[in-house]
Amino acid sequence: MTNKLYDSKGQLIGYIRTVEKNQHDDLMKVILSTGHELVFGPCDLTSDRDGNWRIRSGALYPRCEGKKTDSATNTAAIKDVIFAPPATIVYWSDGSKTVVKCSEKDVFDPEKGLAMAIAKRCGGNKGSYYKEIQNWVEKSGKKYPGKPAAGKAVDLDVLKKYSSEANKDFEKFLSAAASNNQSGALLHLTALVADLKILENEFNK
């Protein structure tokens, strides 16, 4: 069983790969499964009998090290989600928040809003995250279909097919997001968005 690292409020930060103690200064280095390295003072961490670690309240650390420090905040867990159409607001365990809004032409969808907020977070909370999604849509091979002809009957086989595809892509997205696989999460998210768009077009015929 993989051990976990929690903040002082009990929010999951990430899954631990290794914990190393420096014999010279008693600093503790926690390496997460994502590759992020966090360094703590000798009194900043406590462990439970299951091998999980928790950051003490008021800790002076962590200090980030390694190549992945500029994306270390992506290891924070979701603390709260507010759905306020047209906006979805996600609050993270590190104190930050992510806000996304659907366009005037879209119907507000809580699941899609949360998925897009997670994608934005993976993209560094920057507005350019959607360009990244569009890039992965092209690579996935699932193009957005054109507007269907008016009056055409709904194809139940298409609905069944893309409902099943959407469920599979959503499960893969959640799995990738849980393991902090950012590129995988974006890939499966864009596939999910494409599936939902196809379903939307079928219903709007």
Side-chain angles (χ1 to χ4, degrees):
M1 183 176 67
T2 304
N3 296 328
K4 302 169 185 175
L5 175 66
Y6 296 92
D7 65 15
S8 60
K9 296 180 181 179
Q11 296 291 327
L12 176 66
I13 294 176
Y15 294 89
I16 298 173
R17 183 185 298 165
T18 59
V19 177
E20 302 171 0
K21 184 174 181 180
N22 190 317
Q23 300 298 325
H24 300 291
D25 51 19
D26 287 334
L27 292 180
M28 301 281 288
K29 179 187 288 187
V30 177
I31 303 176
L32 301 179
S33 60
T34 57
H36 299 106
E37 299 182 4
L38 307 175
V39 178
F40 297 88
C43 299
D44 287 343
L45 291 176
T46 59
S47 63
D48 59 27
R49 56 186 172 184
D50 295 324
N52 298 316
W53 293 82
R54 183 187 299 266
I55 303 173
R56 289 181 183 271
S57 179
L60 298 177
Y61 290 80
R63 181 177 74 235
C64 298
E65 293 186 348
K67 296 180 181 179
K68 297 189 177 183
T69 54
D70 44 359
S71 60
T73 54
N74 288 335
T75 61
I78 294 175
K79 184 177 182 181
D80 192 18
V81 181
I82 296 176
F83 299 108
T88 300
I89 307 165
V90 179
Y91 291 91
W92 303 91
S93 59
D94 63 0
S96 64
K97 70 176 181 179
T98 301
V99 180
V100 294
K101 294 182 180 179
C102 65
S103 68
E104 296 178 357
K105 297 179 180 179
D106 288 334
V107 176
F108 181 78
D109 181 340
E111 288 187 2
K112 185 176 178 181
L114 179 56
M116 296 299 278
I118 294 172
K120 185 175 182 179
R121 171 79 178 193
C122 289
N125 254 357
K126 298 177 182 178
S128 59
Y129 80 102
Y130 195 68
K131 291 182 179 178
E132 186 72 9
I133 288 178
Q134 290 175 319
N135 177 49
W136 282 100
V137 166
E138 292 180 5
K139 289 184 178 181
S140 72
K142 293 189 176 183
K143 307 290 184 179
Y144 288 113
K147 189 172 180 61
K152 186 178 179 181
V154 173
D155 189 332
L156 293 180
D157 289 334
V158 173
L159 294 183
K160 290 179 182 178
K161 175 184 176 181
Y162 284 100
S163 292
S164 176
E165 288 290 321
N167 285 328
K168 291 178 183 177
D169 287 326
F170 186 59
E171 289 297 324
K172 291 177 181 178
F173 163 73
L174 290 178
S175 176
S179 61
N180 286 310
N181 179 357
Q182 296 178 9
S183 60
L186 283 172
L187 177 62
H188 295 304
L189 176 63
T190 53
L192 171 62
V193 171
D195 295 332
L196 294 175
K197 191 65 177 179
I198 291 172
L199 288 171
E200 180 184 352
N201 284 342
E202 282 296 319
F203 280 115
N204 289 335
K205 284 183 177 179

